[in-house]
Each structure stands twice: as structure tokens, then as C-alpha cells.
Amino acid sequence: MEKKKKFKIQNYRFVIQTAFALLCIWIGIEFYLFVRFLDSGGASGFFPRPPGVDGFLPISSFMSFYLFLKTGEISMIHPAGFFIFTAILLVSFAFGKSFCSWFCPVGFLSELLGDLGKLIFRKNIRMPKFLDYPLRSLKYLLLGFLLYSVMFVMSDMAVKSFLESPYNIVSDIKMYYFFADISRFSLIVISILFLLSIVFRGFWCRYLCPYGGFLGIMSLLSTNKIKRTASSCIDCKLCTKACPSFIQVHKVNTVISDECTSCLNCVDVCPVKDTLELKNVVLKKRVNKKIAAAGVVGIFILVTGFGMLTGYWQNNISKEEYLNHYKYIEEYGHPTDTKKMRELNEESGSKNESVTPERKKSN
Ligand code: SF4
Ligand code: SF4
């Protein structure tokens, strides 16, 4: 058996995950300062809204992407969200569900909690199979509901009206208050998810994240896959033991799974040269691990950078408009009930009114 050189891409992956998590924390701090400015009624110094916060609005970003596909128009309410979503989608086409294991801060946290669980229980505890399969379908049910609501219930104009509605304009601020003023119930639910993620590695990602489900489906179309050469495999099962997604890597010739996050853990641990690799299945060529890492990061930077350079990054909402919307934020409800959805479809020409409650008189 020819041993291979020990080079672990995991160190690079950890650096990228940490850098992205720090970037998200920085965006969070900037957004906090922006909300503080709004909360002071404009009295405290103006702090601009960081466009990167759009990345935390996946539904709005998807709707923006969908509208672009249908009409060629980029919504200017959360334009950065459109480019972040497009970047994630392209990364998934090229390198599978890699956003989850290379960038996503929730995926990173989930991984750290899983490591903590392994430290406590001395192994990764696997959900019993009879529960694993039905639970894995939950994220697809959530995804199916979201896709159905946007693609089949709403007309193009209704999607546009939603994107331009006051609710969508302030959805990031509402999300901020969801966490800043968290209710007891939400805190209990989040704490339970934390605990479950310690016990069962990747609980949130594996069972509940509809975004991950969507990327998992997209990743099946990727031509870069983990390939095993059965003739040189010594059946040591190290790849399967290292796989955080519980994929039986040692049993397959090609990993085709919606759960594979392209973390390359399995490739790192395989002790035999040229036996487990990332390969382009069309070109039948090995993809070097460093090239894969550069590809994942490069696509993301190129697409989001394109948005920044072409002026589709900052939204077109002035601070005066934000200050005005902030006064009524409590009244801006989600247009989820059938009546409002019908209004959106029927009155989509008169944007905003259909989803905006009667405005209070300004004091
Ligand atoms: S199969 Fe390999 S690349 Fe895919 S999730 Fe498992 S360890 Fe990561
Ligand atoms: S790590 Fe997996 S692919 Fe590599 S030799 Fe062992 S069983 Fe075979």
C-alpha cells in the first residue's frame, strides 16, 4: 500500500469558517449600531446599515432570486441578499453543499457543538434509523412549503409587492428584535436545539434547516464528487468514521448524497494514496483539495464582489425612510394569511398598501 502525504485541508477550512463567523459578528455589531441610531429617533450619530445583514434573510433573498429569474429585475430592497444567495447557489453547483461546511456560521456552531458532544460522550451518537429518516424529511417539508408558497401561491407581481412591502424592508430589524428581546418560549426552543446538537451531531442542519435541504438538492447536480477507488481501498473505514454526515463512504464508489457537505474530512483521513479523492465526474480528473478550497471561496467572493462593483449591494432606502418605518415596526405584520395573500395577488399594482396596516399618525 502506498501511503499518501499528510496534508489536511481541514486546517484551511477551520480558518475560513472562523473568518466568516468573525465577519458575521462584525456585521451584527454594525447592525446593532444602526438599530441604536433608529431607536434614538435619529438623535444619536448615524451608523449605516451593513448590507451583509441581507444574508440572514434567506426567504427574502430567494424571492428576490426568483423574481430575477422571472422578470430579469433585481429588487433593490435587499440586493446584497440576492447576490449572496446567487453565490451560495453557484458554490453548491460547483462544489456540492460546501456552503454548509465552509461558510455557514450556524453550520460552524453546529460543528463545534458536535465536537463538544464527541468529547463528552467519546463518540458521535447517531439517531436511531427509524427516527433518522422521518426527521430528515422535516427540512424538505419546510422547504416544500416555502417554495410552494412563493412559486405557486404568489404571482410575480405579488412577489414584487412583498419584496417592496414595509414588512420586508424592516424584516432584518424584526429579526434583530426576535433575538434581542427573545421570548421565553423561543429561548427554550433554541436551548433545546443547542442541547440536541451536542447529543446528535448537526441536529439542526440534518433535520430542520430548509436552506441546507435546498442546497442538498442543488448539490446533487454538482459534477465534483467524492470518489473511492475500490481496488486500492484497504477497507479501514476511517473515511466513514470521519464523516460528520454519517455517510458510509467505505461502501460506495461515488458519494451521491444530499447530506454530503463537501467538508473533505474523509479525503483527509484516507491513508492510501489516490484512493479517496474529490473528482470531476465529467472530466474524470482529480480536483486538488487546495483548488477546491480556492474555488469555494473564489466563487463566493467573485459573485458578491460583482454585486458590490455594479452598485447592487447597498439598498436604496434612505435613513429618513428607515426612521419613518421604524415608528410603525410593531404594526408591520407578515402577509401570511390567505386574505392578505389574495390582496397581494389582486392588488399587486398598488404596492405596499396591501400588506401595510393602517399607519398611525406620527406624533
Ligand atoms: S462524505 Fe466526505 S466530504 Fe461528504 S460529508 Fe462525509 S466526510 Fe464530508
Ligand atoms: S479511508 Fe475509506 S476509502 Fe480510504 S482506504 Fe480506508 S475505507 Fe478505503
Side-chain angles (χ1 to χ4, degrees):
M1 156 184 128
E2 193 180 347
K3 283 194 178 178
K4 70 177 186 187
K5 284 185 202 156
K6 280 191 181 160
F7 165 72
K8 292 201 183 248
I9 200 71
Q10 299 313 308
N11 301 333
Y12 286 70
R13 194 167 69 85
F14 183 75
V15 169
I16 292 167
Q17 284 176 306
T18 308
F20 202 77
L22 290 174
L23 177 68
C24 291
I25 291 170
W26 177 242
I27 289 171
I29 293 169
E30 287 190 322
F31 194 68
Y32 161 74
L33 294 171
F34 170 68
V35 175
R36 221 175 57 168
F37 160 75
L38 296 178
D39 207 32
S40 72
S44 72
F46 174 60
F47 204 94
R49 174 186 175 278
V53 80
D54 288 358
F56 293 90
L57 304 171
I59 298 173
S60 175
S61 302
F62 165 70
M63 289 174 82
S64 196
F65 181 79
Y66 178 68
L67 186 72
F68 174 75
L69 290 185
K70 298 290 289 290
T71 66
E73 180 188 334
I74 298 175
S75 165
M76 285 307 288
I77 303 300
H78 297 301
F82 167 80
F83 279 96
I84 293 169
F85 185 84
T86 308
I88 293 170
L89 216 57
L90 290 178
V91 166
S92 306
F93 271 127
F95 295 102
K97 210 166 111 178
S98 45
F99 173 76
C100 302
S101 64
W102 289 79
F103 290 126
C104 179
V106 180
F108 185 35
L109 178 63
S110 183
E111 210 173 309
L112 295 178
L113 292 175
D115 289 346
L116 176 66
K118 194 173 178 185
L119 213 66
I120 296 170
F121 304 113
R122 293 177 190 274
K123 63 172 182 174
N124 284 323
I125 298 176
R126 208 176 162 178
M127 185 71 74
K129 268 193 182 149
F130 75 95
L131 280 176
D132 187 54
Y133 286 115
L135 284 176
R136 273 168 64 188
S137 63
L138 283 179
K139 61 178 183 285
Y140 293 110
L141 286 175
L142 282 170
L143 175 67
F145 172 74
L146 292 172
L147 294 183
Y148 173 78
S149 304
V150 175
M151 296 167 75
F152 296 99
V153 176
M154 297 176 82
S155 67
D156 295 352
M157 284 308 290
V159 171
K160 187 173 156 64
S161 289
F162 173 85
L163 288 172
E164 291 176 0
S165 68
Y167 176 84
N168 189 42
I169 290 173
V170 299
S171 54
D172 45 4
I173 306 169
K174 278 183 170 282
M175 180 183 62
Y176 167 86
Y177 277 117
F178 174 81
F179 290 104
D181 280 346
I182 195 159
S183 67
R184 182 186 289 224
F185 176 74
S186 303
L187 194 61
I188 290 171
V189 170
I190 290 174
S191 305
I192 291 172
L193 287 174
F194 258 79
L195 289 175
L196 284 170
S197 298
I198 293 173
V199 180
F200 301 107
R201 180 178 277 276
F203 184 87
W204 165 262
C205 308
R206 192 173 177 85
Y207 301 125
L208 296 171
C209 178
Y211 209 156
F214 185 60
L215 299 183
I217 295 171
M218 292 296 127
S219 74
L220 297 176
L221 304 172
S222 171
T223 53
N224 292 318
K225 303 260 185 246
I226 305 290
K227 295 278 282 181
R228 185 182 69 103
T229 305
S231 56
S232 56
C233 171
I234 55 170
D235 205 29
C236 65
K237 300 185 181 63
L238 286 176
C239 48
T240 296
K241 280 183 204 149
C243 178
S245 303
F246 304 106
I247 296 167
Q248 300 281 298
V249 187
H250 74 283
K251 285 185 181 169
V252 296
N253 292 333
T254 307
V255 173
I256 302 173
S257 167
D258 58 327
E259 297 298 339
C260 174
T261 59
S262 301
C263 66
L264 303 180
N265 250 320
C266 53
V267 180
D268 268 353
V269 298
C270 178
V272 191
K273 194 167 180 263
D274 299 337
T275 297
L276 197 64
E277 297 166 309
L278 182 67
K279 272 191 179 162
N280 188 292
V281 290
V282 175
L283 302 174
K284 297 195 179 5
K285 286 239 179 297
R286 183 171 80 94
V287 181
N288 181 288
K289 289 188 278 188
K290 281 186 188 168
I291 300 277
V296 168
V297 177
I299 293 172
F300 195 84
I301 291 177
L302 270 178
V303 179
T304 50
F306 181 77
M308 289 177 200
L309 292 175
T310 51
Y312 286 102
W313 194 251
Q314 296 277 359
N315 67 20
N316 57 7
I317 302 161
S318 67
K319 64 180 176 190
E320 289 76 20
E321 280 177 89
Y322 265 121
L323 282 166
N324 191 41
H325 281 303
Y326 191 75
K327 288 183 201 158
Y328 310 110
I329 193 164
E330 295 280 316
E331 297 170 40
Y332 294 164
H334 195 286
T336 44
D337 67 72
T338 321
K339 184 169 169 281
K340 280 185 180 159
M341 201 67 91
R342 208 180 306 123
E343 281 172 8
L344 271 174
N345 281 327
E346 286 170 0
E347 300 174 30
S348 46
S350 58
K351 60 188 178 190
N352 297 351
E353 275 105 36
S354 57
V355 286
T356 314
E358 202 63 29
R359 286 187 167 197
K360 266 198 305 197
K361 285 243 160 40
S362 172
N363 303 327

